[in-house]
Amino acid sequence: MRRSGFNLGLWLLLSPLLLWLLLLILLPHVDLLLISLRERVAPREYAFSLGNYREFFQEPLYWRTFARTALLSILATALTLLIAFPVSYYVAKMLRGRIKNALFLLCLIPFWVSELVRTYGWMILLRESGLVSNLLQWSGLSETPVELLYNDGAITVGLVYSAMLFMVVPLITTLDSLDDSLIEAGYDLGGSHWHVMWEIVIPHAMPGMVSGCILVFMLTLGNYLTPTLLGGKDSLWFTEQIYTQFITRFNWEQGSAFGILLLMLSSLIVWLGLRLSRQSFAQVMS
Amino acid sequence: MIDLECRELVKTFDRFTAVDGVSLVVEKGAFFSILGPSGCGKTTLMRMLAGFETPDRGEVRIKGRSMLGVPPNRRPVNMVFQHLALFPNMSVAENVGYGLRRRKTPRVEIHRRVQDVLSRVGLGDSVDKRIDQLSGGQQQRVAIARCLVLEPDVLLLDEPLGALDLKLREHMKVELKKLQSEFGTTFIYITHDQSEALAMSDRVAVMNRGVFEQVGSPQDLYYRPETPFVASFVGENNRWRGRIVHRDLEGRLQVRTEQGMSLYASAAGRGWDRAGQEVEVFVRPEMISLSLSAAHEEMHENRLEGQVVNILFDGSRSQVLVQQHGSDQEVAVNLPQAAEFSGLSEGAPVYLSWPSNRSHAFPFWA
Ligand SMILES: Nc1ncnc2c1ncn2[C@@H]1O[C@H](COP(=O)(O)OP(=O)(O)OP(=O)(O)O)[C@@H](O)[C@H]1O
Ligand SMILES: [Mg+2]
């Protein structure tokens, strides 16, 4: 009797979470999968078909965009890690007290404004009549106005910038939890900066690095705003293709297939990343 | 041969002087302790020796070589940290081998030396364990082995027993001393526990507020304290305020305490011991002999009779509080374990005596 009572309480407590998972995550995806596997044969008549997936592989524009999105996302994630690690190490290990908190806050400040405004900031800097272009002309490095927007570089810069916070926060948190005396012991026993970093700091920071990378990668892969604004019409970002299929072409079947493919891609890459860094998902997310 | 030498080391943290002009000389193979209360600057001093802090003034020399500007990873000293700082992501063997790997020692030799040092500290069968599978005392020994395997000129230990419980601490005290004499390495040992310092060391420096009050053998500190701080910090004491009544030709002082007891004491230092000078007198409870009859076998200068006010039972360290007849003076005395004292009760008459050179008088400047 008591056991069933206990179970009932547990289920009641879990119900909001389960409902959320079911209604907002599981159902839409199942629906997405079902839609992606059908084909319209006549108005309001559908049949099972793999045609949408076949279309993806047969049309080079689609799978090239897909591969390009994946590669640029990986590149942006790696760059974010490379930039965020020294910054986080400096904030977490070299600074103390007031200035440490102040700098940490400073990292957060850009994220108080919306992503749209932040991206617009980059456009102001990089466009043909923008700040950087004017600076180049003024200093004599360039004769004519330079267009720095609408290329892969601009997209990458924007992606790294908009994802930085999600790398810095987990990194600072894990690095902060590393006991200073471990680092000192590393030096005391004869280690160089390189050894201490490689054998003591990085193994300790690994869970933070991996969870930061997963977050940044997923956000980047699914980002729509930044690639569209900074990359222009031809930015060839996969979320744009999905948007086009759903909204412009009104081809829900094709759009759903793209959505499922994107989901599979991100799961695959995250799984590979975890395997390569020998971390478990539970460990990284705790 | 001198392994380590410091001259006039000073370290200031924004206006607060943590170490204030410390000089010390440690001979090869010695067990040197630095004893002092919490916050007196012990760790700061040790961190300057290891190279983690740069002194504002003064110099550190190891084996005659100046350590000015030499980073921690190039100094021939190793440190056992206050909280051990074992690397949690490495096994016992990897922890101990860390320093050897840094020196590009061949893998076969690393394996042999790690195995060797671990069996010498009694952990030969824990080589492949993870750090969190070891007990506190075992972790302690891994931390020490990790340094000793590098055969440093000087090993620095910062309160290494602080985190252990009392029983284990007593055990490790013996163990550490044994390790030190086996390896023959120079140990510099920080502690705030006087019994650790007295039991293990060849020489002890007593530190207070950033300065060394006295450096000497454990016996020196215990029997011949040079400052009131050393007298009160090392061992237990009766501590009385009083005034010099008379100074005899041998330099013995006759002192009258505020509570009205008269006693003979020896002066620490000279030049200040004039009649009328206010003094503080320290007498250890274990220096006073207690007897139930007036006839003492030894005739000490200081003799008094009184009655038992209180008995503080603490096993072998039990004490009796005695009040002198004719004054308010209370004296704490160690209770001997002999059978004749087992029936001692409050109010019983007793006789105390102790020699004048076991009561130390220091000038008291109000
Ligand atoms: N980095 C620092 N910045 C400012 N003050 C410091 C710093 N390190 C130590 N101090 C101060 O110097 C004094 C001595 O510190 P230290 O750590 O040397 O004491 P300790 O003798 O080792 O004490 P304990 O027995 O508690 O470990 C303390 O008052 C401490 O507040
Ligand atoms: Mg300390």
Side-chain angles (χ1 to χ4, degrees):
Chain A
M1 277 311 284
R2 276 193 74 212
R3 269 195 72 190
S4 69
F6 170 74
N7 276 343
L8 185 65
L10 186 71
W11 283 112
L12 278 176
L13 279 173
L14 281 179
S15 58
L17 179 69
L18 290 175
L19 277 178
W20 178 65
L21 281 175
L22 187 74
L23 292 179
L24 291 171
I25 310 277
L26 207 61
L27 270 182
H29 276 99
V30 170
D31 199 40
L32 212 63
L33 184 68
L34 291 179
I35 295 178
S36 77
L37 288 173
R38 68 186 194 186
E39 200 171 16
R40 188 156 50 170
V41 285
R44 290 174 191 273
E45 247 180 78
Y46 298 96
F48 175 83
S49 144
L50 288 170
N52 298 313
Y53 292 92
R54 207 177 305 126
E55 175 74 11
F56 170 81
F57 288 105
Q58 278 168 357
E59 171 61 57
L61 177 73
Y62 292 157
W63 60 261
R64 283 204 186 137
T65 309
F66 189 74
R68 175 187 142 79
T69 306
L71 286 178
L72 263 183
S73 295
I74 292 173
L75 177 72
T77 307
L79 278 177
T80 313
L81 179 63
L82 276 178
I83 297 170
F85 194 87
V87 173
S88 311
Y89 188 80
Y90 187 74
V91 172
K93 288 283 120 189
M94 314 289 244
L95 298 177
R96 329 218 151 269
R98 280 261 275 296
I99 188 143
K100 175 173 179 166
N101 293 332
L103 226 71
F104 189 38
L105 265 182
L106 222 60
C107 292
L108 301 186
I109 281 176
F111 293 83
W112 286 352
V113 298
S114 84
E115 192 182 357
L116 190 65
V117 177
R118 262 182 288 140
T119 312
Y120 187 61
W122 279 109
M123 295 179 74
I124 293 178
L125 287 178
L126 298 179
R127 69 183 171 194
E128 209 169 351
S129 56
L131 212 71
V132 179
S133 171
N134 278 330
L135 213 66
L136 285 174
Q137 281 171 268
W138 173 80
S139 65
L141 286 172
S142 161
E143 306 273 292
T144 51
V146 207
E147 177 62 270
L148 293 165
L149 276 179
Y150 314 127
N151 57 42
D152 289 357
I155 297 180
T156 315
V157 166
L159 287 173
V160 167
Y161 180 70
S162 60
M164 189 58 76
L165 178 76
F166 301 95
M167 189 67 91
V168 166
V169 170
L171 275 182
I172 288 188
T173 317
T174 42
L175 286 173
D176 223 15
S177 70
L178 174 62
D179 190 355
D180 283 344
S181 64
L182 285 178
I183 299 177
E184 287 182 345
Y187 285 117
D188 185 69
L189 295 163
S192 61
H193 295 306
W194 170 255
H195 287 131
V196 171
M197 197 45 81
W198 198 245
E199 293 218 19
I200 294 155
V201 178
I202 289 184
H204 179 90
M206 206 44 147
M209 282 160 63
V210 174
S211 69
C213 284
I214 290 178
L215 273 175
V216 168
F217 177 73
M218 290 193 177
L219 284 172
T220 309
L221 199 68
N223 199 332
Y224 176 75
L225 202 61
T226 309
T228 317
L229 287 183
L230 295 179
K233 273 216 154 31
D234 310 315
S235 64
L236 296 178
W237 204 253
F238 200 65
T239 46
E240 236 170 37
Q241 296 287 353
I242 300 180
Y243 179 88
T244 310
Q245 295 299 339
F246 273 102
I247 308 295
T248 318
R249 302 252 185 98
F250 220 70
N251 187 350
W252 280 46
E253 290 73 28
Q254 191 63 54
S256 302
F258 285 178
I260 293 294
L261 284 166
L262 194 64
L263 177 71
M264 277 158 45
L265 175 72
S266 64
S267 311
L268 179 76
I269 293 184
V270 166
W271 179 79
L272 274 177
L274 285 171
R275 279 314 284 277
L276 285 178
S277 61
R278 297 205 196 84
Q279 301 284 314
S280 77
F281 195 69
Q283 192 181 352
V284 163
M285 287 302 153
S286 64
Chain B
M1 183 140 149
I2 287 164
D3 252 1
L4 180 114
E5 192 179 358
C6 301
R7 284 202 212 112
E8 292 294 321
L9 281 181
V10 177
K11 180 72 194 178
T12 309
F13 296 112
D14 28 54
R15 276 179 295 140
F16 174 80
T17 309
V19 173
D20 192 1
V22 164
S23 303
L24 75 129
V25 172
V26 181
E27 287 182 13
K28 186 172 171 48
F31 196 121
F32 187 94
S33 291
I34 299 170
L35 172 66
S38 187
C40 72
K42 305 182 296 285
T43 299
T44 309
L45 173 59
M46 181 147 296
R47 290 172 60 80
M48 286 194 280
L49 301 182
F52 294 118
E53 307 272 5
T54 27
D56 296 336
R57 255 181 293 132
E59 192 186 29
V60 179
R61 286 173 163 275
I62 297 169
K63 285 231 152 59
R65 201 157 66 88
S66 171
M67 286 293 123
L68 206 72
V70 180
N73 50 0
R74 304 253 155 113
R75 295 193 181 199
V77 297
N78 289 118
M79 182 156 167
V80 177
F81 286 79
Q82 199 156 0
H83 300 288
L84 305 184
L86 295 171
F87 306 130
N89 55 313
M90 300 182 198
S91 72
V92 170
E94 285 169 334
N95 259 283
V96 177
Y98 174 89
L100 293 173
R101 289 200 297 279
R102 297 293 77 81
R103 293 182 180 177
K104 308 229 159 47
T105 313
R107 186 175 289 191
V108 187
E109 196 188 334
I110 293 183
H111 183 77
R112 187 181 57 72
R113 281 172 67 178
V114 167
Q115 194 60 252
D116 178 55
V117 77
L118 279 175
S119 46
R120 280 174 82 179
V121 298
L123 286 173
D125 50 356
S126 304
V127 177
D128 293 320
K129 284 194 180 157
R130 282 201 323 272
I131 294 303
D132 55 15
Q133 291 171 320
L134 300 181
S135 72
Q138 289 172 327
Q139 292 186 1
Q140 193 70 60
R141 280 178 286 186
V142 174
I144 292 166
R146 187 173 72 171
C147 294
L148 286 178
V149 76
L150 298 175
E151 295 168 355
D153 289 337
V154 179
L155 183 65
L156 307 172
L157 302 102
D158 188 355
E159 302 200 28
L161 307 186
L164 305 182
D165 61 56
L166 188 68
K167 263 273 175 335
L168 195 54
R169 209 151 63 208
E170 293 297 319
H171 175 71
M172 285 303 292
K173 228 156 53 177
V174 183
E175 200 95 323
L176 259 181
K177 180 70 192 163
K178 224 164 66 190
L179 277 177
Q180 193 259 341
S181 54
E182 270 175 31
F183 281 82
T185 311
T186 310
F187 274 36
I188 299 194
Y189 185 92
I190 287 191
T191 178
H192 61 249
D193 181 316
Q194 46 129 343
S195 92
E196 281 175 22
L198 296 184
M200 293 191 279
S201 321
D202 303 315
R203 287 172 74 73
V204 183
V206 179
M207 192 171 183
N208 185 29
R209 296 195 194 177
V211 299
F212 279 180
E213 295 251 342
Q214 185 176 352
V215 184
S217 67
Q219 288 79 4
D220 283 341
L221 299 178
Y222 186 74
Y223 292 114
R224 290 172 290 280
E226 282 167 8
T227 69
F229 179 81
V230 175
S232 62
F233 196 73
V234 179
E236 278 195 74
N237 282 285
N238 288 291
R239 183 176 189 164
W240 302 314
R241 286 257 285 283
R243 206 172 274 284
I244 299 179
V245 180
H246 175 70
R247 176 180 181 279
D248 69 17
L249 291 173
E250 297 154 43
R252 228 167 28 169
L253 306 179
Q254 193 189 353
V255 175
R256 190 171 179 79
T257 66
E258 281 175 340
Q259 283 78 20
M261 179 172 74
S262 182
L263 75 149
Y264 291 100
S266 58
R270 3 185 130 247
W272 55 271
D273 43 355
R274 272 169 285 103
Q277 168 71 47
E278 247 194 280
V279 292
E280 253 187 319
V281 181
F282 293 85
V283 185
R284 300 193 190 285
E286 60 270 31
M287 301 293 183
I288 302 174
S289 54
L290 176 74
S291 137
L292 296 179
S293 63
H296 286 299
E297 56 271 36
E298 297 165 276
M299 294 309 273
H300 297 309
E301 294 103 316
N302 291 308
R303 254 163 292 163
L304 63 87
E305 54 180 288
Q307 64 182 32
V308 175
V309 187
N310 207 342
I311 298 175
L312 309 163
F313 182 77
D314 183 12
S316 64
R317 296 171 40 196
S318 301
Q319 289 193 346
V320 190
L321 208 57
V322 175
Q323 185 176 20
Q324 187 187 20
H325 284 315
S327 82
D328 294 335
Q329 188 66 63
E330 287 185 351
V331 183
V333 187
N334 268 25
L335 178 65
Q337 298 297 303
E340 54 176 319
F341 297 104
S342 60
L344 203 64
S345 61
E346 282 176 31
V350 287
Y351 302 86
L352 310 180
S353 83
W354 70 95
S356 67
N357 65 358
R358 290 288 175 258
S359 34
H360 305 280
F362 297 93
F364 185 82
W365 313 104

